Amino acid sequence: MVRRRLFRILLGLTLVLGLALAADRLWPLPPAPQYSPLVLAADGTVLHAYLNPTQKWRMKTELAEITPALQTAIIEKEDRYFRYHFGVNPLAIVQAAGRNLLGHGRTTGASTITMQVARLLEPKERTVGSKLREMLRAVQLEAHLSKAEILQLYLNLVPYGSNIEGVKSAALLYFQQPPDYLSLAQTVTLAIIPNRPGGLVLGRNNPQILQERNRWLRYFGRQKLFPAQDVADALLEPLAAQRHPAPTLAPHLARRLVLASPGQALIRSTLRPATQARAEDLARNYVRRLATLGISQAAVLVVNNQTHAVEAYVGSVDFQNPGAQGQVDGVRAVRSPGSTLKPLLYGLAFDQGLVTPKTVLPDVPTNFQGFRPENFDKHCQGEVTMERALTYSLNIPAVRVLSEVGVAHFASTLRQGGFRQVARDAPRLGLSTVLGGCGATLEELTGLYSALANAGRYAPLALTPPTGPGATKPLLSPGAAYLLTDILAQRTRPDLPIDAAASRHLPRIAWKTGTSYGRRDAWSIGYNRQYTIGVWLGNFNGQGSPALTGAEVASPLLFDLFNALAYNGRAEWFAPPASLDFRLVCAETGLVPGEHCPNQLLDYYLPGASGGQRCQHVQEVLLSADGQVSYCRACAPASGYRRALFPNLRPEVLAFRESQGLPARRLPPHNPACRLVHGAEASGAAGPEAAPLLAITSPAAHAEYVLDATEKQQLLLACAAAGEVRQVYWYVNDQFLKAAPATARVFFRPPPGEVKISCADDHGRTVEVRVLVRQL
């Protein structure tokens, strides 16, 4: 008999359990509530909040934000037996039923916190049937969730009037604090409102709320739930709560992160609130002063060089300004980078052994297979050192160096450094790439300069906290990165804003400016040991402005940002790596001194990488006694000659000096009695790589020229010849045209079609180009 009863009991329990499991399968828990996406700063504070899909402020409260005071107040007020029942409180149900049936006391529903969660998840009319379903859901919730998770759900769903739900939403919108930063008085205030969210509205019914709050505070004090002194202090605290707008810092980054993580309630970023707010204020106020110059927008990116974390992200100065297209993200907008890529180019040239800081480069009008770059100021300096070419941002030397480094190698390095548009356009890029003839973003450029601050190693910028150590890629050697830093930190340079040293504190930084073609974009990017900051100014509609230059417009904002963020920062500076060393070089060329180099100076170089070419900036020549004829060793007489030193300039530099009326010594004509061709007898040019001793500079090889036949237009013939050349001979389609001095400019009317143009000098050297001529 006992066994039969026990069996029936077990069978009944099994049947009930089976029915419960079947019911749980048939009627699963409601889906998780849709929360308002919150973008958090590195310290956990809310940077930006969005309405949820149902247009409510329902911000997710994390378990760590539910303070003991909040738990105590809510549980004591709403459901003091919350931690002990299984979702339904039978005793409370009996008591409520008695009061409701007999009409004694206040009519109540005996809802536990768990039952209220069930109702908030599935709102229904208040009927007996609905109450029964709430009870069943409450039991189901207790079976699936812990008490802490149920309390968290309640605090996330509890109404506070209007479209505000959840204690975190109320704390931020009314007290501008997260729940774990609230005082006891504020905590109790939020605990008493959910019962009457329509009648107790903060900011509108503050006197009634204050009275109710103090009543509950006295009750909690009598129950000894909080220390008496804390309760006394809370009773004295005034209530001046008003509804405030939701946080809206970093709107562009917030939108970017929310779109990248749809449905995620809490998105953590690397931004620092104080840094972000300061950068936004500085950019906004600065652009406001530039409005009369036709400049409407700016973008700023601040990167921590140690962690690669982005600490400030300003996509535009006013997200809500449609007239200035404020919702465009200037950090990710693809623009022309101007001259900001030149440091990377020279760094690659360092590592390839093509140049050192004192290497002298030609800065003369040059035709690079049809591409004729000009310097920003339209002037040439003849010859400049590599470090001066960078600090003065000269275009012609940069293009020459790029032609030696190789466009493919340059584009490949940019691709490794995260330049996406360059990677897509790589097959179509040319020598203009280093002058801004490609697409880049402020994010990419700031990441590149952060790599310079990290000994040439690149790591993607972090917008969210990394899950582990990030991988880095070497773009440049540590030695090349240091040389660039040393050059970019110089203050004797033309892109230092006028009167900058007198009007503002100049931070110790290495920086480079850039201005795009048509003055549509102004850049200034700088770094020290702690930060890399990138600044862009311009207009999102692409409109240029005469005042829009990196030096005069972007650099002042860059300096203001560094002064605001790192004015009293760590003072240590970059130290030269062990891979660098010093050597003496010729002051005339920057090459290893030859036998005729009396003027020498110290220069950095990379042992094992930097070239060891000997300087030949002068050449020893055999002259007749009167100096009117030069000899080679094959035709020199036995006596009656003398030795003399002549400058061994590149032909294009020599031609430039003569065109500018500058002193330029040419060799006397070669001995006419010499029957040998001695073109190879002349020594090479004094540069990192020997230049051709005869070259046609106009017209450009393989170029197409369209001429108007009615205007009788002509083509210019010009060449660059070595110093000993006096006469050149021009041929068109193998027909002799004219003899002329080496520096003369010759004009002629070409026939239509493909034209072969040849030039021969008085030493027997010959060059030719082919062009296509069309006539209108």
Side-chain angles (χ1 to χ4, degrees), residues 184 230 243 326 486 504:
L184 177 60
D230 291 353
R243 181 162 178 174
D486 189 53
R504 56 165 50 87

Side-chain angles (χ1 to χ4, degrees), residues 222-246:
R222 290 194 298 272
Q223 299 297 318
K224 301 188 183 304
L225 297 177
F226 302 109
Q229 186 59 50
D230 291 353
V231 172
D233 292 340
L235 287 169
L236 296 175
E237 186 174 315
L239 179 62
Q242 298 290 333
R243 181 162 178 174
H244 301 275

